[in-house]
Amino acid sequence: MRETFSLNSKFALKHNDNGDVQLEGFAIHGGENFIVNGFYEVPESEMKNCTRTLKGKRLFKDHGTHSVDNIVGLVEKTRTTYDEDAEMKGVKYSASLMVDDSHLGEKIEKGLITDTSIGFDFTPICSICGNEFLSDKCSHHPLFDPDMHLICKDMNCHELSLVTFGADPGASVTSSFGGADAEKLKAEFGKLKDEIMSEQNINEDLQAKNLELSQEVKDLKAQITQIKEQHKSELEDLKLESQKDILTLTQEKETLEAQVTEMGTELADFRAEAEAKLAVELESKKEELQKLAAELHIEKTLGDVEEMSIEFIDKQIAMFKEIIDNKPRVPQFTGDKQHHQKEGKVKGQYNAVLKAFKGD
C-alpha cells in the first residue's frame, strides 16, 4: 500500500535576464528522527529519490492536477543539498513560472502567494516492527500503539504546487490517503477502528468456538486414551495366554524329546542285544555246518565259512542234514527187489554230492 501526501515550504521569486520568472526553494527535507506532524518520519536517505523524481514535474495551482488550466510552470532543476535554515538536508528546486491573465506573477511579487507544496507518494513502514503498515506482517496501529509512527520509504514526487496557506519554517504534511486532509485521515482511522473492533468481536466468537472445540478435542483425547488403555490390557492378557501356551508346548516338547531319547536308547540296546544273539546264532550255525561237513568228509572242500551269509549256511545245513538222513546203510539181505532199487537211488545221490564237493 502506498500513501499520497503534500509537503509545504516557502520559496523565492527570481527574474532571469530574458525576463522569465522562476521559483526557487526547498521542496522537502529529511533527517534522522525527523517526524512531521508527530506521525510521519522522512529519512534523509529518501532525499535522493525526491531529487530524482521531482525533476521535470509540472507546477500547479493548489494541487489542481485534475485540470490543465491549473498548470502554471515546470520544475527544471533539482538537487540534494544542506539547508542552513532547517539545519538538515533537503531537495532544492528551480521551477519556471508562466505569467497569465490571472495576475499570478503580480500576486507572487506582492507577497500574496508565498508557499509551495509538493505532492508525493510513498510506502508506509511501521516504526515498531519495520514491516509495511497494514500488511499481513504488521499488527500495529496508531489507535492502539501511541508510540507508533510511519516511516516514508521509496518516496516519489509527482507534482509541485503554489498554495495559499502558510507552512512551518521547514515543512509540514497536509494530507494523506488519496490526498485527503487530516480530518479525513482521522475518519479513516475511526473506520479502521470500527473494523478492528468488529474483527475483535468476531475473534471473541472464534475464541469461544475454539474453546468449545478444544474441550471436544480434550474429550476425544480422553476417549482415545481410555481405548488405548483397554487395548493395552487386552494385549497384555493375550501375551500372558500366549506365554502360557508357549511354556506348555515347550514342556510337551521336552517330554517328547526325553521319550524319543529314551526310546532311542532302548532301540540301541535292543539292536545290540539282537546283534549279539545273531552273532551267537551265526557262530553256532557255523560250527554245526563244519560238523556236518566233517561227518560227510567234505570239510576240506567246504570253503571259507566266515565269508558265507547266514542264509547260505542255513541252506547248506539243510542240504547236509537231508543227505545224512538219507545216507545209505548196509541193508539186510531180504531179497526185496524194491529195497535194492531204493538203496541204489540214494547211493547215487550221495555219490553225486561227494563228487561235487571233491571236484571229481
Side-chain angles (χ1 to χ4, degrees):
M1 183 190 77
R2 297 186 68 86
E3 296 187 2
T4 301
F5 290 86
S6 299
L7 191 67
N8 305 332
S9 62
K10 296 184 181 298
F11 66 91
L13 183 65
K14 291 186 177 181
H15 295 272
N16 292 339
D17 295 338
N18 56 7
D20 292 336
V21 180
Q22 285 193 329
L23 304 180
E24 288 186 357
F26 280 89
I28 190 171
H29 297 87
E32 184 177 0
N33 297 323
F34 176 54
I35 301 177
V36 181
N37 284 355
F39 190 64
Y40 304 98
E41 179 180 349
V42 181
E44 182 180 310
S45 59
E46 290 296 322
M47 295 301 98
K48 291 183 179 180
N49 286 335
C50 293
T51 298
R52 176 178 53 83
T53 58
L54 182 60
K55 185 178 180 180
K57 295 300 188 291
R58 286 168 291 187
L59 179 65
F60 288 91
K61 294 187 295 184
D62 291 322
H63 299 291
T65 56
H66 59 282
S67 173
V68 295
D69 292 334
N70 291 324
I71 301 174
V72 295
L74 185 68
V75 179
E76 297 177 342
K77 297 179 181 179
T78 58
R79 63 189 177 95
T80 302
T81 185
Y82 188 78
D83 186 355
E84 296 291 344
D85 294 333
E87 296 183 350
M88 65 181 70
K89 282 188 177 182
V91 178
K92 192 170 185 178
Y93 68 89
S94 175
S96 63
L97 179 65
M98 297 177 57
V99 180
D100 55 14
D101 56 2
S102 63
H103 306 289
L104 186 61
E106 183 179 350
K107 292 178 181 179
I108 292 174
E109 289 179 347
K110 289 183 178 181
L112 298 178
I113 300 175
T114 59
D115 296 338
T116 59
S117 173
I118 64 168
F120 64 93
D121 57 50
F122 65 95
T123 299
I125 302 299
C126 175
S127 63
I128 296 178
C129 65
N131 295 311
E132 186 174 344
F133 178 54
L134 295 181
S135 67
D136 294 337
K137 297 181 179 179
C138 178
S139 60
H140 303 98
H141 198 280
L143 293 175
F144 309 105
D145 301 288
D147 296 333
M148 176 203 167
H149 64 269
L150 298 182
I151 301 173
C152 300
K153 181 181 178 182
D154 300 330
M155 294 176 66
N156 178 39
C157 299
H158 48 76
E159 53 97 2
L160 179 67
S161 289
L162 296 170
V163 292
T164 58
F165 49 84
D168 293 336
S172 62
V173 175
T174 59
S175 62
S176 59
F177 299 94
D181 56 17
E183 292 299 326
K184 187 173 182 180
L185 176 62
K186 293 180 181 179
E188 291 290 340
F189 280 163
K191 182 179 179 181
L192 287 173
K193 181 178 180 180
D194 292 338
E195 292 177 355
I196 292 173
M197 294 301 294
S198 177
E199 290 179 359
Q200 288 180 344
N201 293 333
I202 294 174
N203 288 337
E204 291 177 356
D205 294 339
L206 291 176
Q207 288 177 356
K209 186 63 176 179
N210 187 41
L211 289 175
E212 183 181 349
L213 292 175
S214 298
Q215 186 60 43
E216 291 180 2
V217 170
K218 289 180 180 179
D219 295 340
L220 288 174
K221 286 183 177 179
Q223 293 178 9
I224 292 173
T225 302
Q226 183 179 1
I227 292 173
K228 284 184 177 179
E229 292 296 330
Q230 183 179 354
H231 287 176
K232 182 179 179 181
S233 177
E234 292 176 355
L235 182 61
E236 290 176 349
D237 293 340
L238 289 174
K239 285 183 178 179
L240 289 175
E241 287 186 20
S242 177
Q243 289 176 353
K244 182 178 179 181
D245 293 340
I246 291 173
L247 289 174
T248 302
L249 291 174
T250 301
Q251 291 175 351
E252 292 178 355
K253 176 185 176 184
E254 291 175 353
T255 302
L256 289 174
E257 288 178 347
Q259 291 177 355
V260 169
T261 301
E262 183 179 355
M263 292 174 63
T265 302
E266 292 178 356
L267 180 61
D269 294 340
F270 177 78
R271 285 180 177 176
E273 184 179 353
E275 289 175 356
K277 289 182 179 179
L278 183 62
V280 172
E281 183 181 357
L282 181 60
E283 290 297 325
S284 177
K285 289 186 178 183
K286 288 179 181 179
E287 292 178 1
E288 183 180 1
L289 179 62
Q290 290 174 345
K291 287 180 180 180
L292 293 173
E295 187 177 347
L296 293 172
H297 306 289
I298 59 173
E299 65 273 13
K300 295 182 179 180
T301 59
L302 183 60
D304 190 359
V305 178
E306 298 297 331
E307 296 296 328
M308 296 179 184
S309 65
I310 190 170
E311 291 82 2
F312 185 67
I313 291 174
D314 286 339
K315 289 179 180 180
Q316 289 196 94
I317 289 174
M319 184 181 69
F320 289 172
K321 283 183 177 181
E322 183 181 0
I323 292 173
I324 292 172
D325 290 341
N326 294 319
K327 181 178 179 180
R329 298 178 177 83
V330 178
Q332 295 180 356
F333 184 76
T334 61
D336 189 347
K337 184 178 180 180
Q338 290 182 351
H339 177 75
H340 286 292
Q341 290 177 346
K342 183 178 180 181
E343 290 289 337
K345 183 178 179 181
V346 173
K347 185 177 182 180
Q349 292 177 346
Y350 176 75
N351 290 333
V353 171
L354 289 178
K355 185 176 180 180
F357 274 96
K358 292 180 177 180
D360 293 339

